[in-house]
Amino acid sequence: MQQQRLAQFLFLSLSGLAAAGAARAQDKPDWRISGFGTLGVVHASEREADYTSSVFKANGAGATRRWSTDVDSRLGVQLDATLARHWSAVLQVVSEQGLDNTYRPRVEWANIKYQATPELALRVGRIALPVFLTADYRKVGYAYPWVRPPVEGYDVLPVTSSDGIDATLRWGVGPVRNASQVFYGHSAVSLIEPLHVYGRRGVGISNTSDWGALSVRANVVSAEISSDIGADLFDAFDAFGPVGRDLTRRYEMDHKRMMLANIGVNYDPGSWFVMAEAGRTVGHSFLGSTRSAYVSAGWRWRAFTPYATYARVRAAGATTDPGLPLAALPPALAPAAAALNAGLNTLLWTIPQQTSQAAGVRWDLRTNMALKLQYDRVTPQEGSRGTFINPTTRFVPGHPVHVASVALDFVY
């Protein structure tokens, strides 16, 4: 329903602005349609969990099936419109596997921009979150060298857009060109019914500096996160008095302010490139806090680009909790308390701790199509499932998982 209302709002706004712009300029609005897609297949050696590119997917390669086309495959279409002298709009719809195991199209972007001055732009609607080097093309596989951005860095923020407003100011200092962006908005993600995640009163600032072949992007984002994940568990903790309520306050995801800070550097003189990003999250809930980083380098030779990547994510706090003190409880309550403690530590087990090494090659078949082959050696650390999903009771972290991927990226 939220996506339908957003699409209807944008359509009515576009129609009104188009009519007004045409009446003033005696000219038709300029409409442009483009698109992008990825056809991918992934194999993972793990049999007790699924390797995937996002926690917002239903499954992946490994436990569900040895070979999966759902990890990277997607299709997107984008409508760009120049409506009047200062007005433009964009609508982007993406179809990829979701938590409901369908490819139901999702409105990724839907916003209207007002170019107030040559340097200042204002937007309202659904806008890409200005986080990570690939923020403006995170869904467009053709735009980056790898099969997928390193999951250790990018999966700490699987939400890619928010509904709200932003302002971008472009300015320069000598040879350095800067784009500074501030935004305010909210997000809502439907998980497996009836579970949801809400991000309210999100605020952020991002700055991109370009100096020749060097680009640096730094950003800080903060939002109030709420979810009904674990609601029954924390209700049960509350029944154990002050100690239980203290655990609830510490770990429940209920109006908790989450912060993410990230900085990325890309040096690309043309024949080769080096990219690196580092991030820090603070969750104040069972999401925990993390530190993540990756570095990637590649060399372009004719139509081929071999590359290598090293990535890691670590917890910045505790990933286990003793929970309720069983020895202080009556024997009749101890089994129930032990089950609650196990449930809490299962939630904390989802805090990602993982390292990976990847090597691959990109082959540009033509100007709008690239074939990529990639091998990842992924190791979830002890006490964490890493970025894997759907673990069985037999899943044991601490050993490397071998992942092979093939992807055909295209734009049109």
Side-chain angles (χ1 to χ4, degrees):
M1 289 299 294
Q2 183 185 26
Q3 293 193 40
Q4 292 176 354
R5 290 195 297 269
L6 182 64
Q8 292 170 358
F9 164 76
L10 182 69
F11 177 78
L12 293 174
S13 300
L14 291 180
S15 301
L17 288 172
R24 289 195 302 269
Q26 297 297 313
D27 195 9
K28 292 183 179 180
D30 179 22
W31 304 84
R32 298 178 306 281
I33 297 180
S34 59
F36 55 89
T38 296
L39 301 176
V41 60
V42 178
H43 177 271
S45 63
E46 179 61 58
R47 294 293 171 264
E48 306 302 335
D50 283 335
Y51 176 84
T52 188
S53 57
S54 171
V55 294
F56 287 161
K57 288 183 176 289
N59 50 59
T64 300
R65 59 182 68 90
R66 295 191 176 186
W67 294 88
S68 174
T69 58
D70 298 319
V71 176
D72 301 301
S73 297
R74 69 173 60 90
L75 184 65
V77 63
Q78 182 168 317
L79 172 65
D80 293 274
T82 302
L83 305 172
R85 183 179 177 184
H86 298 288
W87 294 91
S88 62
V90 61
L91 173 65
Q92 184 185 99
V93 178
V94 177
S95 174
E96 60 184 339
Q97 189 200 46
L99 281 167
D100 59 356
N101 202 21
T102 73
Y103 277 72
R104 183 179 297 111
R106 178 186 184 276
V107 177
E108 183 70 17
W109 299 347
N111 58 76
I112 298 171
K113 181 171 75 172
Y114 175 65
Q115 195 71 43
T117 71
E119 298 80 20
L120 178 62
L122 309 173
R123 292 187 298 181
V124 60
R126 179 163 295 175
I127 303 164
L129 282 173
V131 182
F132 306 123
L133 286 173
T134 67
D136 300 325
Y137 50 89
R138 186 168 170 180
K139 298 291 185 180
V140 186
Y142 180 83
Y144 42 77
W146 328 283
V147 169
R148 69 193 69 86
V151 294
E152 290 79 8
Y154 280 64
D155 214 29
V156 297
L157 184 65
V159 179
T160 55
S161 59
S162 70
D163 300 334
I165 58 175
D166 79 343
T168 301
L169 178 67
R170 299 187 181 277
W171 52 285
V173 177
V176 181
R177 303 187 315 275
N178 298 280
S180 299
Q181 180 182 357
V182 294
F183 82 93
Y184 177 88
H186 68 273
S187 301
V189 179
S190 296
L191 306 177
I192 301 172
E193 288 296 338
L195 302 179
H196 297 78
V197 175
Y198 302 96
R200 300 181 177 90
R201 295 196 287 274
V203 294
I205 183 169
S206 174
N207 185 80
T208 302
S209 300
D210 295 306
W211 184 10
L214 177 65
S215 181
V216 179
R217 184 165 196 161
N219 28 251
V220 178
V221 176
S222 177
E224 188 180 88
I225 307 297
S226 296
S227 177
D228 34 22
I229 297 175
D232 293 340
L233 176 72
F234 293 116
D235 286 344
F237 269 118
D238 288 344
F240 280 83
V243 176
R245 289 193 291 272
D246 180 65
L247 291 168
T248 296
R249 284 192 298 270
R250 196 183 314 166
Y251 294 113
E252 187 179 28
M253 198 190 305
D254 184 18
H255 296 86
K256 297 293 183 66
R257 180 59 62 169
M258 181 178 181
M259 183 275 293
L260 181 147
N262 188 81
I263 185 168
V265 179
N266 182 22
Y267 185 75
D268 189 345
S271 59
W272 56 279
F273 70 87
V274 175
M275 300 174 65
E277 292 189 74
R280 177 78 159 88
T281 68
V282 179
H284 300 297
S285 68
F286 66 79
L287 293 177
S289 300
T290 64
R291 293 186 179 94
S292 59
Y294 77 85
V295 59
S296 182
W299 171 58
R300 298 186 179 94
W301 179 72
R302 297 183 180 177
F304 297 92
T305 306
Y307 60 86
T309 304
Y310 173 81
R312 64 179 291 174
V313 58
R314 289 288 187 273
T319 58
T320 62
D321 194 293
L324 296 168
L326 303 184
L329 295 174
L333 295 178
L340 293 179
N341 292 344
L344 174 61
N345 282 284
T346 297
L347 287 178
L348 297 177
W349 192 48
T350 64
I351 301 172
Q353 297 199 86
Q354 180 173 291
T355 60
S356 72
Q357 302 85 35
V361 61
R362 170 182 173 138
W363 179 17
D364 284 275
L365 302 172
R366 49 196 300 181
T367 56
N368 64 340
M369 185 177 294
L371 179 66
K372 302 173 185 176
L373 307 176
Q374 183 170 311
Y375 163 76
D376 294 81
R377 185 178 186 270
V378 185
T379 308
Q381 301 302 300
E382 295 287 349
S384 170
R385 70 180 190 185
T387 62
F388 286 75
I389 61 173
N390 302 328
T392 71
T393 56
R394 296 182 298 276
F395 176 71
V396 179
H399 65 87
V401 178
H402 306 283
V403 181
S405 307
V406 180
L408 180 67
D409 293 319
F410 56 89
V411 293
Y412 61 91

